[in-house]
Amino acid sequence: MNNKLIKKENITIFDKIKAFFKKFFRKKEKIENKIIEQENEVKNNSFKDNLKINISEINEKENKFKSFISEIENNPDLVEKLSEDRLDRLIDYYEKITKEKAQKIKRLNKLLN
């Protein structure tokens, strides 16, 4: 019969010390990596929270501006009483609208031709 037992390896004391230190430093590295990962998750979560935009504020601003525009359209005499800043914003608003409509007209002309 053949002896099929596992051969016993001769491990020197230096190999044992080397293996001990490898285990020790790998555990330390793993712990440090976990701490770094947790810090990154906290940073990512705080970054995401800071990026959140309050949609109600945006909608409120848009609604105020639209009501302002409708007031001016209903009562054109108010334009004379507006400050320069508000007049500039009003001009920008109407220029934006005209540019969008001009682009739509161009697209429709391309589709028809």
Side-chain angles (χ1 to χ4, degrees):
M1 289 189 120
N2 290 340
N3 191 1
K4 295 187 178 181
L5 295 175
I6 299 174
K7 291 184 179 180
K8 183 176 181 183
E9 293 184 30
N10 293 332
I11 300 176
T12 63
I13 187 84
F14 296 112
D15 290 334
K16 290 180 182 180
I17 294 172
K18 189 176 177 181
F20 170 76
F21 283 112
K22 279 185 182 179
K23 283 182 185 180
F24 178 74
F25 286 114
R26 283 187 188 157
K27 285 181 184 177
K28 189 175 180 181
E29 287 175 2
K30 288 179 183 179
I31 292 171
E32 288 175 355
N33 288 340
K34 286 181 182 179
I35 291 171
I36 291 171
E37 287 175 4
Q38 290 174 351
E39 289 175 355
N40 287 340
E41 287 179 16
V42 169
K43 287 179 185 178
N44 287 338
N45 290 338
S46 65
F47 181 71
K48 287 177 185 178
D49 291 339
N50 289 336
L51 279 181
K52 288 182 182 176
I53 299 173
N54 193 350
I55 296 173
S56 62
E57 287 181 12
I58 293 173
N59 290 338
E60 186 177 320
K61 287 181 182 180
E62 289 178 7
N63 290 337
K64 284 182 181 179
F65 190 70
K66 287 180 182 180
S67 65
F68 170 70
I69 297 293
S70 64
E71 286 179 25
I72 290 179
E73 288 175 351
N74 293 335
N75 192 0
D77 296 334
L78 292 176
V79 174
E80 296 174 3
K81 298 177 184 177
L82 293 176
S83 65
E84 291 180 15
D85 182 44
R86 284 210 154 188
L87 284 173
D88 290 339
R89 290 194 333 196
L90 188 65
I91 290 169
D92 292 339
Y93 173 75
Y94 281 111
E95 285 178 351
K96 180 181 171 185
I97 290 174
T98 53
K99 285 180 185 177
E100 288 175 359
K101 290 187 179 185
Q103 288 175 354
K104 287 180 183 178
I105 291 171
K106 286 180 184 178
R107 281 189 244 135
L108 288 172
N109 283 337
K110 286 181 183 178
L111 289 175
L112 294 175
N113 291 333

